[in-house]
Amino acid sequence: MSAVRLPQGFPRRVPVRQILCLLPLVLVLVVAVQHRAVLAAGFGQLASAEWPWLVAAAGATCLTWVAAAFTRQGAVVQRLPVRRLLATQFAAGAANHLLPTGLGASAVNLRFMAVCGVPLASSSAAVALYLLAESIARTGLLLALLIAFPDSLRLNSLVPAPAVGPVLLAVAGVVCVAAVVVLAVRKLRTAVFTFLRSALGEARTVHTRPSRALALWGGSLAFPALQAAGLAAVGRALELPVPPAHMAVAYLAATIAVAAVPTPGGIGSVEAALIVALVAAGAPVALATAVVLAYRIITVWVPLLPGALTLGALVRLKVI
């Protein structure tokens, strides 16, 4: 293992792996200091909440890691070690909150699959399939709930009708520009098409195995459902005057809206979008803010330190 020589006064040669083990803890400290006001406010809200509902929210959060493990296994043909897979999802959650959204978890899972002997092409396709399945399941669940509860979001109070057209045109414009760039740049086009062929081949192989397909789509659907259930439980704990199904709709709509925002774990953007969505569902602004702060404390900040410790341990044990 290569080593890094420290400045004068530190004569020892420290292994790179040992430094990597400490890096997640340093990042947790930095992020916590940057968001200390949010942390203080969130813990203050938890003090006045009904604890049985908070325990339910914590339980739903723990089950999201199980759902993620099922989805990850369903996205790859090769069988992955169950315990290490589950521990990796817990660690990946911490990495996802310390790096731009999606990159942390993807990097951790790519490394884990490489250590397990999965070829790079297959592991990259598995990550793409995981992201695609999770996006489809999240969007499908939102649409199903909107059909069942059409009055759950009062969007007309947030987005003026004349602004809908320009927003849709802007989104369509971005998509068209991205497509033109891919088609115009030969190397980029070749890389994208090669990756898509590998991903489609992996997807076809996975879906020839019912157990893998069930794990992939069942986990993809359970993951956002458990996240939404956690928010609904926190809402009940703080007596938010919004039906649980409407809170679930608000959560799904908010997370889909901020999915493209490149902030670590959606920190900042998710909170703002959740507050707006809960207000659109009929919640008072102050109480919606309290619910979101308490929810993010349970789902992000409390697991962040043990997740970082797990990540460091997995690096040290060469699991990733």
Side-chain angles (χ1 to χ4, degrees):
M1 174 65 66
S2 60
V4 175
R5 183 173 295 280
L6 297 176
Q8 187 175 4
F10 296 85
R12 290 184 57 201
R13 291 176 63 84
V14 181
V16 172
R17 190 173 295 276
Q18 188 171 340
I19 294 176
L20 291 177
C21 292
L22 298 176
L23 184 59
L25 298 179
V26 175
L27 291 175
V28 168
L29 180 61
V30 171
V31 174
V33 170
Q34 290 177 339
H35 297 84
R36 57 187 179 276
V38 174
L39 286 170
F43 278 111
Q45 299 299 336
L46 291 176
S48 60
E50 297 181 14
W51 283 98
W53 286 110
L54 295 183
V55 172
T61 300
C62 293
L63 288 176
T64 59
W65 302 315
V66 178
F70 270 97
T71 312
R72 296 287 183 184
Q73 176 61 85
V76 66
V77 175
Q78 181 173 331
R79 184 173 180 81
L80 302 174
V82 176
R83 293 181 182 177
R84 283 184 284 169
L85 175 61
L86 184 58
T88 300
Q89 301 321 300
F90 182 48
N96 219 34
H97 295 305
L98 299 175
L99 296 172
T101 305
L103 294 182
S106 296
V108 169
N109 279 284
L110 280 172
R111 180 59 187 165
F112 172 67
M113 286 186 281
V115 172
C116 291
V118 180
L120 179 59
S122 296
S123 60
S124 300
V127 169
L129 183 56
Y130 170 88
L131 295 174
L132 178 62
E134 203 275 335
S135 299
I136 292 174
R138 186 180 295 268
T139 305
L141 183 60
L142 173 61
L143 293 175
L145 288 175
L146 283 174
I147 293 172
F149 305 97
D151 298 327
S152 55
L153 288 181
R154 303 166 190 172
L155 296 178
N156 57 340
S157 64
L158 297 174
V159 182
V164 174
V167 170
L168 293 178
L169 286 176
V171 172
V174 171
V175 173
C176 290
V177 169
V180 169
V181 170
V182 170
L183 294 174
V185 182
R186 183 176 179 180
K187 290 185 178 180
L188 181 59
R189 181 176 69 249
T190 301
V192 169
F193 286 170
T194 301
F195 175 75
L196 288 176
R197 281 195 296 270
S198 299
L200 289 174
E202 188 73 18
R204 283 194 298 268
T205 304
V206 163
H207 284 86
T208 59
R209 302 191 176 192
S211 60
R212 291 291 188 271
L214 179 61
L216 174 66
W217 294 104
S220 296
L221 185 61
F223 187 76
L226 288 166
Q227 289 180 320
L231 178 64
V234 174
R236 293 296 299 272
L238 291 173
E239 299 181 350
L240 188 72
V242 176
H246 293 197
M247 282 189 270
V249 170
Y251 175 82
L252 294 169
T255 52
I256 290 173
V258 301
V261 179
T263 56
I267 291 176
S269 58
V270 169
E271 284 86 348
L274 279 175
I275 292 170
V276 170
L278 286 176
V279 170
V285 176
L287 194 50
T289 303
V291 168
V292 170
L293 290 176
Y295 173 71
R296 294 291 276 176
I297 287 289
I298 292 173
T299 58
V300 176
W301 294 104
V302 170
L304 195 55
L305 181 58
L309 290 172
T310 302
L311 181 59
L314 293 178
V315 171
R316 188 177 184 84
L317 295 172
K318 301 182 180 181
V319 174
I320 57 175

